Amino acid sequence: MYAQKIPFTLVEYNCENLFDCRHDSLKDDYEFLPDADKHWTFGRYWKKVNNIGRVVHQCGGVGDKWQLPDLVALVEVENDSTLFMLSRRSMLRGAGYRFLMTNSEDARGVDVALMYNPFTFKPLEHHSLKVVPPKGERKTRDVLYVRGMVVTGAEMHVFVVHAPSRGGGQFETDGYRLAVARRVMETVDSIRSVDTDANIIVAGDFNDYTYNKSLRYYKNKGLADVSEKAVGLNFTRRNKKGREVLNTGCTGTYKYQGEWNSLDHILLSEPLRAMVSECFIYDAQWLLEKDSQGGYKPFRNYLGPIYHGGISDHLPLVLRLLFPAE
């Protein structure tokens, strides 16, 4: 007899500026107000929230057995108001999701969050990890750390990351993203000092590719980038007669100057790596648009100040684990 396996799904998604349309007096969020150049109205906000809810919902509906994702690591979300709208007012309102998030000192008010299904994941503790900026750099997003228990009783440590952008140049900002990696690994090493077989997930937008310094640092410290070779579900999809019905060409979560690559990653400790069933990019056609340079690209919300009506400039990553029943 085969040992029973319990499926567990995590989705990582950069929402591309999920702001509400009200001003936070402590943050520079003026561009996302109704009377700003972008004319960010409640109607546009509500459409975006519902679309993100649809993304989460559909990421759970791929494969033979449908179930909502257990964890959703969200990047570029403004505040708990946006998460309340997503979890309680959007098409996800009946799913019962709850959420935890940071409250960073990022100038624009951008944060990260973790939505979770309380029936399959029970948080035990959570806090923010602050990163000291290098001299001359602005403060960045905190890292969200959550320790919890999955339905099998196994303990899990989850980190949600949104590393500093490459604005100002990739080489010039390498050190800042490396500082984030070192801050995360300080906590990971602390966890491992108590439990060498700890189940650890580090997910988010690292603003680096798999061959860059910060990702190499994580790998050298014993975390595996299980999303490194992830491609879209429709990258080579064929119908029953063997003919292609959609080929998105999607080999990354982000497209820059006509080339697919991934700034989003999911890193795992070795015990969790052994439980991976699959890791893929969710590249449904409604998340994409034709690219003038060929193929498809993510259907984003804005093109500069011009409202484009899409969802995000990133595609979501989906990780499926199989936990042994205890």
Side-chain angles (χ1 to χ4, degrees), residues 42 53 106 122 125 189 194 240 246 248 264 271 275 313 322 324:
F42 182 82
D106 176 81
K122 178 183 178 182
E125 68 169 305
D189 288 343
V194 177
K240 291 182 179 179
L246 177 66
T248 64
D264 305 273
M275 301 180 198
D313 55 350
L322 292 174

Side-chain angles (χ1 to χ4, degrees), residues 26-323:
L26 301 176
K27 302 297 181 181
D28 182 12
D29 59 358
Y30 295 102
E31 65 178 325
F32 287 97
L33 296 176
D35 57 354
D37 289 343
K38 287 186 174 179
H39 302 292
W40 185 236
T41 62
F42 182 82
R44 291 176 174 182
Y45 168 48
W46 178 239
K47 177 183 177 182
K48 184 177 178 77
V49 166
N50 261 316
N51 277 333
I52 292 171
R54 183 183 173 193
V55 170
V56 172
H57 184 273
Q58 291 190 357
C59 282
V62 178
D64 297 331
K65 293 184 178 180
W66 183 90
Q67 70 174 59
L68 279 169
D70 301 280
L71 297 177
V72 185
L74 296 170
V75 175
E76 283 197 23
V77 291
E78 184 186 18
N79 50 36
D80 55 2
S81 173
T82 59
L83 265 295
F84 181 86
M85 285 285 283
L86 179 61
S87 61
R88 296 290 191 270
R89 294 288 183 264
S90 77
M91 66 174 298
L92 293 176
R93 59 189 176 276
Y97 278 119
R98 298 177 185 173
F99 64 87
L100 302 166
M101 70 182 305
T102 56
N103 184 16
S104 306
E105 296 179 81
D106 176 81
R108 294 197 312 137
V110 172
D111 280 296
V112 300
L114 183 71
M115 281 202 317
Y116 64 93
N117 180 344
F119 297 103
T120 59
F121 183 81
K122 178 183 178 182
L124 301 174
E125 68 169 305
H126 72 279
H127 56 264
S128 296
L129 307 180
K130 292 196 176 295
V131 180
V132 177
K135 186 176 180 180
E137 296 286 355
R138 297 191 304 174
K139 293 177 180 178
T140 191
R141 280 77 56 173
D142 294 349
V143 176
L144 177 63
Y145 165 67
V146 182
R147 179 174 70 90
M149 187 178 295
V150 302
V151 70
T152 65
E155 192 170 86
M156 182 184 287
H157 305 266
V158 184
F159 297 80
V160 185
V161 173
H162 185 191
S165 75
R166 295 175 164 223
Q170 183 257 320
F171 177 78
E172 290 79 4
T173 55
D174 267 349
Y176 207 171
R177 288 184 293 280
L178 193 55
V180 172
R182 287 176 174 145
R183 181 67 186 91
V184 170
M185 290 310 303
E186 283 177 9
T187 304
V188 169
D189 288 343
S190 178
I191 293 166
R192 284 172 164 172
S193 69
V194 177
D195 180 5
T196 55
D197 293 322
N199 296 316
I200 298 167
I201 299 177
V202 184
D205 181 350
F206 294 73
N207 268 308
D208 265 338
Y209 302 127
T210 190
Y211 50 79
N212 291 136
K213 287 182 181 178
S214 68
L215 268 297
R216 294 204 309 269
Y217 181 82
Y218 286 110
K219 293 176 189 177
N220 290 338
K221 296 286 282 185
L223 295 183
D225 184 356
V226 295
S227 59
E228 182 174 349
K229 296 181 179 180
V231 298
L233 277 181
N234 295 312
F235 173 57
T236 55
R237 184 180 173 189
R238 297 176 182 274
N239 64 16
K240 291 182 179 179
K241 294 182 180 180
R243 293 193 296 268
E244 290 184 359
V245 291
L246 177 66
N247 187 339
T248 64
C250 171
T251 55
T253 59
Y254 187 78
K255 200 173 191 184
Y256 179 67
Q257 295 183 346
E259 297 292 331
W260 284 106
N261 215 316
S262 287
L263 299 173
D264 305 273
H265 304 273
I266 299 175
L267 312 176
L268 302 181
S269 59
E270 282 302 319
L272 275 185
R273 186 183 186 184
M275 301 180 198
V276 174
S277 169
E278 58 182 340
C279 184
F280 59 87
I281 299 163
Y282 186 60
D283 59 343
Q285 193 163 8
W286 70 279
L287 297 177
L288 301 164
E289 63 176 334
K290 287 290 183 70
D291 186 352
S292 61
Q293 299 185 62
Y296 293 87
K297 63 181 179 180
F299 184 23
R300 62 184 304 168
N301 203 27
Y302 275 88
L303 295 175
I306 301 171
Y307 182 64
H308 195 50
I311 303 93
S312 174
D313 55 350
H314 289 242
L315 295 175
L317 279 170
V318 182
L319 171 70
R320 298 196 188 282
L321 301 170
L322 292 174
F323 277 92

